[in-house]
Amino acid sequence: MEYDLGPEAAALRGRLRALVREHVPADYLGAFTADPADLAIAQDFCRLLADEGLLCMAWPEEFGGRGASLWEQTVVREEMWARHEPRGAQYMGVNWVGPTIMRHGTPEQRAQHLPPIARGEVIWCQGFSEPGSGSDLASLRTAARPDPDGDDAGGRAWRIHGQKIWTSYASMAQWCFLLARTSSSGRRQQGLTIFLVPMDSPGIEVRPIACMMGPHHLNEVFLDGVRVTEADVLGEVDGGWAVVQEVLAFERVGIARYARVERLLQEAPAALGDAWDELPAELRGRWARMLTHARRARLLAYRVVSRQGTGQVSPVDSAAYRIAVTRLDQDGAEVLTEIAMAAEPDGEAGAHVDSVDPRRWRRAVEDHARYAVASTVASGSIEMQRILLSRALVAASGAPSSAQPGTAARAGAAS
Amino acid sequence: MTAAAVDAVTGLAAGGGVVLDLSDEAAEFGRTAQRALETAGGDELAQAAEREPARRAELVAPVLDELGAWDLDPRGSADELEAAAALCRAAGWWAAPYPVAQRLARPAGGDADALFVVAPAAPAAPVGGLDLRLAAVTLDGRRYAATARESDVPARRSAFVVGLDLAPLAGAAADADAAGGQADAALGLVLGCWTLLGLLDRAMTLTRTYILEREQFGQPLARFQGVQFQLTDAEVERAGVAELAGYALWSIESGQAEALDDALALRLAAVEAAETVFRITHQLHGAMGFCDETTLSWLSRYSQPLRRLPLGRSATQDALASRLGRRGLAGIFGPNAMAATK
């Protein structure tokens, strides 16, 4: 067995840490702030990563990447998420917009969209959820109706009317990865189409939603007769659902949530200084327990990664990971907040400080706690994960007879 | 990017070398042991042992002897340690009424047949009915010779647990360094958790089968979301223990300085998971799960010593927290981050 990702991973980790240390302020808490300087930090950092060949290293060489391994991608995700995602919204372009366009885009779409994503220059938002369509995404009502004028080349065109909601980064984005209904015949999943839509198109209006997570997290996007043509369709007309499934699969393993929780937990004693020793023993016990849960979530993530490597990912692995990691976000937030509140609000750390600024740490904990509330809702609710997992568990054919790794659950998932 | 970094990254792309599973040989050994125990009686083993505790050894030990189990030296090589872990998991699957993990972990030197990790305040072990020379070790690495006390509590209630009398080792063994004792404690805890994992595997498998077969309101229980969601909660716990069990095993076989931290972290997660898994698997079995005719009832009762000894959930958490102090668990961040370039 081997759990050490090896010297190459350590070298990559070290390189990313050095870049972050040099180019991202220590108190950076992500691009979701009212301060335009934070957005600029993310923009600059993406360009830097792109220049260093680190932004799209996972992409195939033909699209400007280096075909980096899944483990390299894991290291990048861990390091970026632990440091409040200094790639800003662009991580979405790298993680799922680009790869989806590679798989389903026309040569023209690839040429138009992939280079700016690879250079870290463009922000995308995801136009999926609607006021009446959350987990039940296929019920969405935003409609693309044929525009009788067609497009300039004699092809089809549509006018899109409807509303999207909970759209992160919509106020910053240049492009929207938009799902709309193009047909109402057949199964609900059959009449949906993906459109790649410029956010400055006439008829698009973005309204921010004030929320407990902070600015820019959530927006409404209103679409009033937004004109799109065949050139804007990703994949097949009426064939958007399959693309959405791929996007959601990319998204579900895309964020190494455990890395931020682990970092904040590991920094807690240094952030508290002498006050650490005054904590109730029970709270230090819960801290130790939460570190165990952070490791557990990390190892469940590694299980998914290792199965991706062999092309055998099952819903059992990915759903179990996502359930564990989103709960970790929230359970970790409770423990961290309690520890943070035990320290002097503006106190200096005591004798044990080693490069952890207590004020920065407390702000990061507070930010994490607000953000963690959304963990079990964002990118597919935890209930949907439980449904996926339970279906896979009970779908297994025949009772497994082995007590060795990969028992009941995996045997079932393979069938 | 520097040439060195490019080279480094290219090396990683080759695979990273991460191996999360036991070796094929160890896994095969585990499967063989599981079949052998099935042939020897399977679920009947625990029942026979409960009726006649004095037969515990003859029911299980010869079967494993035939497989060469007692020739394994878990301290000797990674392969043997992994085979030992697979064997413990197989023994757990049948709730085999014999201290397989503790016999595998017996101290080097031949003075004892089995090693138990104990809490000095209330040393106890499930050795009723056995005639073994016992060694004990505490979490801080102190080693003892142990003697089982007489007990008239029937096995049905005690699950073979009896009190132990501890005698500090004399001579060379007493001078053995604490690190060696702690390594023994880590090995004992980890193999015990592999046994418990086998029990959890089985409880989940039995429950899955039961909810597919049992019908109420005209459909299998498995169709009810209230049932499905409970099953997922239990499975996430079981799956998490399986991963931590692999990690803690690797920590021992690769000689990590934090092996005892990792063993305690596994133990905490395993005890917690057992609480969830047995609560849920019992609930989903309904009244049937309490009956002797269901295997769950036997698994549940004979999981108790593994869950309560040497320390239960709270005391395990306390022990882990005091060991970790300020340094935390080895991971990707923190003072003792693993293989991370600072």
Side-chain angles (χ1 to χ4, degrees), chain B residues 203-217:
Chain B
M204 290 299 294
T205 300
L206 290 167
T207 303
R208 181 189 146 272
T209 304
Y210 183 78
I211 64 172
L212 282 166
E213 288 172 2
R214 169 75 172 165
E215 293 197 359
Q216 287 289 278
F217 302 102

Side-chain angles (χ1 to χ4, degrees), chain A residues 5 8-18 74-76 78-79 298 302, chain B residues 332-333 338-341:
Chain A
L5 269 55
E8 296 87 357
L12 176 59
R13 219 182 264 294
R15 173 127 184 87
L16 290 166
R17 287 184 187 185
T74 303
V75 168
V76 173
E78 289 175 346
E79 292 302 317
R298 177 162 64 89
Y302 288 2
Chain B
I332 43 183
F333 299 101
M338 199 171 102
T341 307

Side-chain angles (χ1 to χ4, degrees), chain A residues 284-285 287-288, chain B residues 315-327:
Chain A
R284 275 179 280 147
W287 168 79
Chain B
T316 303
Q317 181 171 294
D318 273 359
L320 176 63
S322 20
R323 270 197 68 80
L324 295 185
R326 293 174 163 266
R327 73 178 189 278

Side-chain angles (χ1 to χ4, degrees), chain B residues 14 90-91 99 114 130 135 147 160 163 202 217 221 236 241 263 274 296 300 303 311:
Chain B
L130 294 173
T147 321
F160 309 119
R202 185 75 189 289
F217 302 102
L221 293 182
V236 170
V241 174
L296 182 69
S300 172
S303 74
L311 298 170

Side-chain angles (χ1 to χ4, degrees), chain A residues 236-257:
Chain A
E236 303 290 322
V237 173
D238 292 344
W241 189 249
V243 180
V244 168
Q245 297 311 305
E246 284 181 27
V247 168
L248 295 179
F250 281 127
E251 253 197 323
R252 278 171 193 148
V253 292
I255 300 180
R257 290 178 180 274

